[in-house]
Amino acid sequence: MLKQTPTPAPDGQPFHLTTLRNGAGMVVTLMDWGATLLSCRVPMKDGSVRETLLGCASPEQYLQQSAYLGATIGRYANRIAGGKLKLKETTLQLQTNQGDNQLHGGPEGFDKRRWRIMIQNEHEVIYALDSSDGDQGFPGELKTTARYALTEDNRISIELRASVDKPCPVNLTNHAYFNLDGSQGDIRQHRLQLLADSYLPVDANGLPRVGLKDVAGSSFDFREPKLIGQDFLSDADQQAVKGYDHAFLLQAKGDIGQPVARVWSSDDKLEMKVYTTAPALQFYSGNYLAGTPAREQGSYDDWNGLALESGFLADSPNHPEWPQPDCWLQPGEAYLSVTEYQFLAQ
């Protein structure tokens, strides 16, 4: 189902909203501005329906927030130090939008664009976007598609594809924030399992200054499920960024058949499993959500939602030594990243 809004987007055209449904009664809503996930309503065992995504009350409110709620992120998710790319003997300067660094593709990233709707029905929507040579400072023309599908076993399946005509680092993701208690309350009461043996420490700007660290014996060890709040802010690595906002190198190493993370609501009545072909997950505990316009009440508070963003480790273009696939996409190669979020009512 496609719906148009009366209020126009910045390009003067209406926002186009697509609703996906499955036989189990799950309902997912997206919009073409930013190829954004707006809502994910999951039927519960007691007959109620639980909203699991943070979101705004109206599409135009998404223009007034800087948390990237539910948006498709590109060309490059996460941070690039100094906004600089080294290509052989050349240094390219990207447009910066977080101090001297680039975050989530730059000041006019893919989250701030209208995507074209290529296919849409009750089960899937496929968006497309073209990014010209030099867009936000990146080299070459990039063409991308984002496919969002709702499966019968309550998975949101996200397939992100891209091709380039010049070498360029590519790291596409979706920036959904989840709260399995019904998009209210503190996610530090959720339990999390994250199947990763190492994580990437960062400084106060979210940039890595040292290499990967083992999670063993640290507050970053989620290999067995534990409350997010259990070891919250208990060490310098967390205190630098007001909580968790770190990339974890996954045990699955791109095997979509293995869950890489599991999250449980505080009442244990809803579980979410995460699967991905990406090498890493950025776990963000919503440390700076305060003031973000909210769907139900005025605004969200810090720690009202958590993000599990699939992709490469932060600042990967400047760290070819890290044990993950190369983030530079070459002409003639096809970029494909698949991530699935599955919801299981208990």
Side-chain angles (χ1 to χ4, degrees):
M1 187 176 83
L2 185 66
K3 190 175 121 191
Q4 294 189 7
T5 61
T7 308
D11 64 359
Q13 299 299 309
F15 298 94
H16 297 104
L17 276 53
T18 298
T19 302
L20 310 179
R21 304 173 189 274
N22 68 6
M26 188 165 148
V27 182
V28 173
T29 311
L30 302 102
M31 71 172 167
D32 57 348
W33 193 266
T36 301
L37 275 169
L38 302 180
S39 168
C40 173
R41 293 169 59 79
V42 179
M44 303 296 289
K45 291 278 196 223
D46 62 3
S48 65
V49 174
R50 196 171 281 191
E51 175 62 72
T52 60
L53 272 188
L54 268 57
C56 300
S58 63
E60 53 271 20
Q61 279 195 328
Y62 283 81
L63 309 176
Q64 300 156 20
Q65 53 87 33
S66 55
Y68 300 91
L69 291 177
T72 301
I73 304 296
R75 286 186 192 192
Y76 202 89
N78 219 313
R79 291 162 182 85
I80 297 178
K84 287 184 167 49
L85 295 178
K86 291 190 178 64
L87 182 59
K88 295 178 183 166
E89 304 306 311
T90 319
T91 299
L92 299 173
Q93 181 61 55
L94 305 176
Q95 291 187 32
T96 57
N97 59 326
Q98 194 176 62
D100 294 332
N101 310 306
Q102 191 190 80
L103 172 66
H104 292 332
E108 295 293 327
F110 291 178
D111 60 297
K112 296 175 180 68
R113 312 280 175 94
R114 179 173 310 269
W115 293 60
R116 303 189 305 280
I117 298 174
M118 309 301 286
I119 292 174
Q120 76 97 62
N121 53 53
E122 279 213 329
H123 307 295
E124 66 171 354
V125 56
I126 299 178
Y127 297 108
L129 184 70
D130 300 336
S131 173
S132 59
D133 187 7
D135 186 3
Q136 308 302 293
F138 286 104
E141 182 184 23
L142 177 141
K143 293 179 179 292
T144 181
T145 59
R147 176 184 184 262
Y148 287 85
L150 177 57
T151 68
E152 287 304 307
D153 63 349
N154 284 3
R155 294 177 196 234
I156 299 176
S157 175
I158 305 169
E159 289 180 17
L160 303 170
R161 298 176 184 270
S163 62
V164 292
D165 64 1
K166 289 181 188 173
C168 183
V170 178
N171 189 28
L172 305 174
T173 197
N174 180 279
H175 209 306
Y177 290 83
F178 299 98
N179 187 317
L180 302 188
D181 290 341
S183 82
Q184 297 293 315
D186 193 318
I187 54 86
R188 291 175 295 184
Q189 300 307 306
H190 286 35
R191 282 185 302 133
L192 170 67
Q193 181 179 33
L194 223 171
L195 296 165
D197 297 319
S198 56
Y199 75 100
L200 192 60
V202 291
D203 64 15
N205 295 315
L207 288 167
R209 302 298 185 193
V210 294
L212 289 153
K213 276 191 192 175
D214 287 346
V215 300
S218 80
S219 69
F220 291 82
D221 193 347
F222 287 93
R223 290 174 297 181
E224 295 296 325
K226 72 174 181 184
L227 272 181
I228 291 170
Q230 178 178 312
D231 301 315
F232 203 74
L233 292 178
S234 63
D235 56 55
D237 282 348
Q238 281 193 67
Q239 290 158 13
V241 289
K242 222 171 92 173
Y244 295 103
D245 190 5
H246 299 79
F248 289 73
L249 194 62
L250 299 168
Q251 294 172 354
K253 291 184 166 52
D255 178 1
I256 191 86
Q258 295 183 45
V260 295
R262 299 168 74 190
V263 184
W264 291 266
S265 60
S266 65
D267 62 4
D268 275 339
K269 290 183 178 174
L270 187 60
E271 177 190 353
M272 182 178 77
K273 288 184 178 178
V274 185
Y275 303 82
T276 186
T277 59
L281 268 189
Q282 182 88 7
F283 167 39
Y284 176 43
S285 51
N287 312 329
Y288 294 94
L289 274 171
T292 302
R295 185 185 287 108
E296 287 89 5
Q297 81 281 30
S299 60
Y300 290 114
D301 294 321
D302 292 341
W303 311 303
N304 273 173
L306 67 92
L308 293 166
E309 308 152 59
S310 58
F312 292 106
L313 299 168
D315 200 26
S316 283
N318 296 310
H319 293 278
E321 73 276 10
W322 286 339
Q324 62 177 0
D326 187 1
C327 69
W328 283 82
L329 186 64
Q330 304 296 326
E333 293 178 348
Y335 172 97
L336 171 62
S337 181
V338 182
T339 300
E340 297 178 343
Y341 298 100
Q342 182 180 27
F343 297 87
L344 303 151
Q346 309 293 332

